[in-house]
Amino acid sequence: MEMEKLVSLCKRRGFMFQSSEIYGGLNGFWDYGPLGTELKRNVKDAWWRDMVSGHDDSSVPAAAPDAYEMTGLDCTIIMHPQVWKCSGHYDLFHDQMVDCRESKRRYRYDQIRGRWVEAKGERIFVTTVAETDREEEDTLSRALKYFNLRSKNADQLQWDGKFITLPDIDDLSRALGPDARTPGSLTEPREFNLMFKTTVGALGGEEDVAFLRPETAQGIFVNFRNVLDSTRVKIPFGIAQIGKSFRNEITPRNFTFRSREFEQMEIEFFCDPKSSNRWYQYWRDRRMRWYVDLGLAGDRLRLREHDPEELSHYSTGTADIEYAFPFLPPGDFGELEGIAHRGDFDLRSHMEGKLDENTCPLELEKGPDGKPKWKGSGRDLTYRDDATGERYTPHVIEPSAGADRATLAFLCEAYTEDEAPDEKGEMKPRTLMKFHPRLAPIKAAVFPLVKKDRMPDIAKDIYRTLKPHFAVFYDEKGAVGRRYRRQDEVGTPYCITVDGQTLEDNTVTIRDRDTLEQWRVKADACLEELRKKMS
Ligand code: GAP
């Protein structure tokens, strides 16, 4: 599937718009249109229902080590700045960036790709930030321009090796920046903190600086004690949160895949250190199954365990659920969700702070005494097991998903082109979105075949009966074949049509989006039929 086709459908049918588009847009920010809002809400609702509200606290789910409880939180976006100091984000949440002295643009160091090329006795590293499916074309035209060659002389360019990223080359002075005319305009890489800064209150001094949260997880950790004290939850249990997060990404790209404002769906699962490895396995597999059950099956979805050298110093296991997004080069996968075994790192950091280089062997800002300077809350975030009397700092398993990335993956997976008969029975190309019925923004459309003979009245009655239960759509405009196609294109799984036969026997046709199969049911049985189909 070509990504342009999906992007154009998303705009044309109201799934997604660029933010502030009438003012030229704002890079890295996206708005969801009427259908996109429903789709993303369905993704978040499915996650909340499957992980939290629909979870049965009293039985042991298949493959789980034990029965467990799930509960939720809704925390603020701006939190006490100390949270980010103790979490490590203040000191460590960096990307490396390079500036171009010529174009005055800034790029993420590891995202600039390019190739070595030689012509007329000079060797340069031609770079690009074009989408990967265009990088070949873009670097060729830049190299031709630089060496002042015409396309017919492209064979004078001696390409050396595959596309690599800037960190893989040792001589930046030979790199031709993505928007530069001469090599050597890129600065050495520098660190850039990804948290958005703001000020709280009217004074606006340094002490009033605060940050927009870069993840929802920390709200859960700092409320761990509150949840324990205000509910009767017992370990093992999970706290879930869905909410906005903000990261000042240096190069947002690939539609909503890397945005500066996005939503996360995170669980922090607290368990006894003795069983945490088993809980890690459970959550890894449970989360993978969730995507499969909602339609992301096949070889475009994979679960990838991190190699030991990829793991954070506190983690004994991390896996990513990845999807082969169509904007990536063939064979490449992009992260949908990470499932991390975080040990007791987070609760311990918020209790004790980062005062000891041995428990936190990271490069942290130092105080006057030369010690890392962030103090924890000093609160007791340990847990006492009533049955055994044992006290410990719980281990955490963190399945952390992106609502926008999941929505994008469901959009990519749903996009299908096939052929279907039109009204005259001729096979014509059609575009359809094969959303899982739970995710489809509209579950059913109701049509009168023609606008006469009481058909619109009967169709509206059916529509009104269904509306309190399902997102349904009524349409009486244009040829019925075109109405079907419009619904196929937004992924409506069922279309209900009132026709001549309805007037005789009170039955209507129901058409299946994917199989095109049509069958008749009594007009007053539509609700039951849809319920059966959706379950
Ligand atoms: N608490 C752990 C955490 O935040 P992460 O891997 O940085 O881990 C988790 O983020 C998920 O959030 C990612 O797998 C992705 O789905 C989503 N995400 C992260 N950065 C994003 C961005 N800039 N745009 C869209 N989604 C993003």
Side-chain angles (χ1 to χ4, degrees):
M1 190 256 297
E2 293 154 39
M3 199 58 199
E4 284 80 37
K5 289 187 178 171
L6 178 67
V7 174
S8 135
L9 185 145
C10 282
K11 168 136 204 243
R12 188 159 36 83
R13 298 308 309 270
F15 281 97
M16 222 105 79
F17 309 123
Q18 209 188 353
S19 162
S20 327
E21 197 192 56
I22 62 167
Y23 291 105
L26 187 61
N27 200 9
F29 296 88
W30 295 91
D31 293 334
Y32 286 81
L35 288 177
T37 305
E38 293 295 329
L39 175 65
K40 185 170 156 190
R41 182 174 294 272
N42 292 343
V43 171
K44 291 187 289 182
D45 286 352
W47 185 87
W48 193 265
R49 168 143 277 281
D50 295 347
M51 298 301 122
V52 189
S53 57
H55 169 72
D56 175 359
D57 295 342
S58 66
S59 70
V60 183
D66 204 346
Y68 63 91
E69 292 177 71
M70 290 297 295
T71 185
L73 274 178
D74 185 2
C75 308
T76 59
I77 284 168
I78 296 176
M79 299 168 72
H80 195 291
Q82 199 70 12
V83 170
W84 308 114
K85 290 172 181 167
C86 289
S87 70
H89 286 84
Y90 185 82
D91 289 288
L92 300 162
F93 195 50
H94 294 127
D95 269 346
Q96 293 212 307
M97 48 119 199
V98 288
D99 285 307
C100 176
R101 296 184 201 90
E102 190 188 312
S103 67
K104 308 288 178 231
R105 295 205 176 182
R106 178 167 284 182
Y107 311 94
R108 213 170 110 177
Y109 183 48
D110 62 352
Q111 277 178 356
I112 301 191
R113 286 164 59 86
R115 278 175 88 185
W116 286 104
V117 62
E118 193 171 340
K120 300 183 175 177
E122 189 183 355
R123 181 174 144 88
I124 60 166
F125 185 71
V126 195
T127 67
T128 177
V129 282
E131 300 294 325
T132 26
D133 54 351
R134 296 257 180 79
E135 62 188 10
E136 193 109 15
E137 198 186 319
D138 192 54
T139 41
L140 173 63
S141 84
R142 299 198 67 221
L144 288 171
K145 196 162 172 195
Y146 178 76
F147 289 111
N148 205 6
L149 292 169
R150 289 166 178 247
S151 310
K152 64 178 184 191
N153 302 122
D155 56 357
Q156 291 186 28
L157 297 171
Q158 306 278 307
W159 295 99
D160 177 10
K162 295 188 299 206
F163 276 92
I164 50 175
T165 56
L166 275 190
D168 297 325
I169 69 168
D170 40 25
D171 185 5
L172 264 187
S173 72
R174 296 314 308 147
L176 178 67
D179 299 286
R181 282 189 305 265
T182 46
S185 62
L186 297 176
T187 61
E188 286 299 317
R190 281 186 294 144
E191 284 188 336
F192 172 81
N193 193 291
L194 298 183
M195 283 196 294
F196 278 100
K197 243 186 197 177
T198 187
T199 42
V200 174
L203 294 176
E206 233 352 85
E207 62 283 10
D208 301 320
V209 165
F211 302 93
L212 307 192
R213 67 180 175 199
E215 61 171 25
T216 58
Q218 297 303 322
I220 300 179
F221 295 127
V222 302
N223 276 298
F224 171 72
R225 184 90 259 155
N226 283 337
V227 173
L228 274 186
D229 292 348
S230 61
T231 67
R232 290 161 59 187
V233 284
K234 289 204 175 353
I235 274 179
F237 73 94
I239 307 180
Q241 173 163 219
I242 297 181
K244 289 262 180 166
S245 293
F246 300 80
R247 296 183 188 179
N248 199 0
E249 300 282 358
I250 300 167
T251 39
R253 53 159 68 188
N254 291 331
F255 214 13
T256 55
F257 182 81
R258 182 165 285 109
S259 320
R260 288 176 166 144
E261 175 174 341
F262 54 95
E263 260 181 295
Q264 290 186 308
M265 309 186 289
E266 298 200 289
I267 296 170
E268 304 305 327
F269 189 81
F270 301 95
C271 57
D272 185 330
K274 289 196 283 296
S275 52
S276 57
N277 285 338
R278 282 189 292 144
W279 281 112
Y280 166 67
Q281 305 281 337
Y282 167 73
W283 278 108
R284 210 193 52 176
D285 300 342
R286 172 86 188 84
R287 290 301 306 143
M288 178 71 177
R289 208 167 56 244
W290 186 78
Y291 292 99
V292 173
D293 288 348
L294 286 172
L296 290 195
D299 52 9
R300 282 191 292 274
L301 187 75
R302 74 174 186 194
L303 183 74
R304 187 180 68 83
E305 275 293 342
H306 284 206
D307 294 331
E309 60 273 17
E310 270 184 275
L311 294 177
S312 321
H313 68 93
Y314 49 78
S315 181
T316 52
T318 298
D320 285 344
I321 297 173
E322 301 179 326
Y323 182 72
F325 286 96
F327 45 76
L328 299 172
D332 274 15
F333 284 74
E335 179 187 324
L336 279 181
E337 167 161 355
I339 299 100
H341 184 318
R342 299 182 59 88
D344 64 2
F345 175 78
D346 306 276
L347 291 178
R348 191 174 280 281
S349 297
H350 286 298
M351 267 192 297
E352 300 171 359
K354 304 205 186 303
L355 298 168
D356 178 357
E357 271 157 313
N358 298 319
T359 53
C360 182
L362 307 170
E363 263 306 306
L364 293 169
E365 196 171 315
K366 302 279 188 346
D369 57 358
K371 284 192 162 189
K373 77 179 184 193
W374 310 125
K375 279 200 172 69
S377 63
R379 294 287 180 88
D380 178 10
L381 303 181
T382 59
Y383 177 83
R384 185 176 178 280
D385 186 323
D386 287 341
T388 62
E390 202 187 339
R391 186 169 282 285
Y392 55 83
T393 307
H395 275 192
V396 168
I397 311 301
E398 177 189 70
S400 170
D404 306 86
R405 278 199 197 167
T407 304
L408 184 59
F410 289 124
L411 276 164
C412 294
E413 185 72 18
Y415 187 95
T416 311
E417 289 175 353
D418 70 1
E419 288 201 329
D422 66 3
E423 296 91 288
K424 295 180 203 135
E426 285 173 28
M427 293 304 273
K428 289 276 165 62
R430 73 165 178 161
T431 302
L432 68 156
M433 296 298 281
K434 283 192 176 175
F435 293 125
H436 187 287
R438 281 182 79 189
L439 301 183
I442 303 170
K443 311 297 183 201
V446 188
F447 309 146
L449 183 66
V450 287
K451 265 201 279 184
K452 58 180 189 192
D453 300 335
R454 294 194 297 114
M455 289 186 209
D457 294 337
I458 300 171
K460 272 186 197 153
D461 271 351
I462 296 173
Y463 165 78
R464 288 188 193 118
T465 308
L466 298 176
K467 188 79 176 166
H469 307 277
F470 292 111
V472 283
F473 185 77
Y474 175 80
D475 189 5
E476 57 180 28
K477 291 190 202 80
V480 75
R482 292 204 41 204
R483 282 181 263 162
Y484 281 143
R485 267 156 208 268
R486 282 182 61 75
Q487 291 306 316
D488 291 343
E489 209 185 31
V490 298
T492 307
Y494 302 104
C495 288
I496 299 169
T497 305
V498 172
D499 55 18
Q501 197 177 323
T502 314
L503 307 176
E504 290 162 23
D505 63 6
N506 201 28
T507 61
V508 295
T509 63
I510 301 190
R511 169 188 177 269
D512 181 291
R513 173 196 68 200
D514 301 342
T515 61
L516 297 171
E517 189 197 338
Q518 299 203 13
W519 66 99
R520 296 195 79 88
V521 298
K522 286 279 182 204
D524 56 8
C526 286
L527 179 60
E528 202 185 315
E529 183 73 6
L530 280 187
R531 280 215 174 109
K532 204 166 75 194
K533 288 278 168 193
M534 298 292 207
S535 64

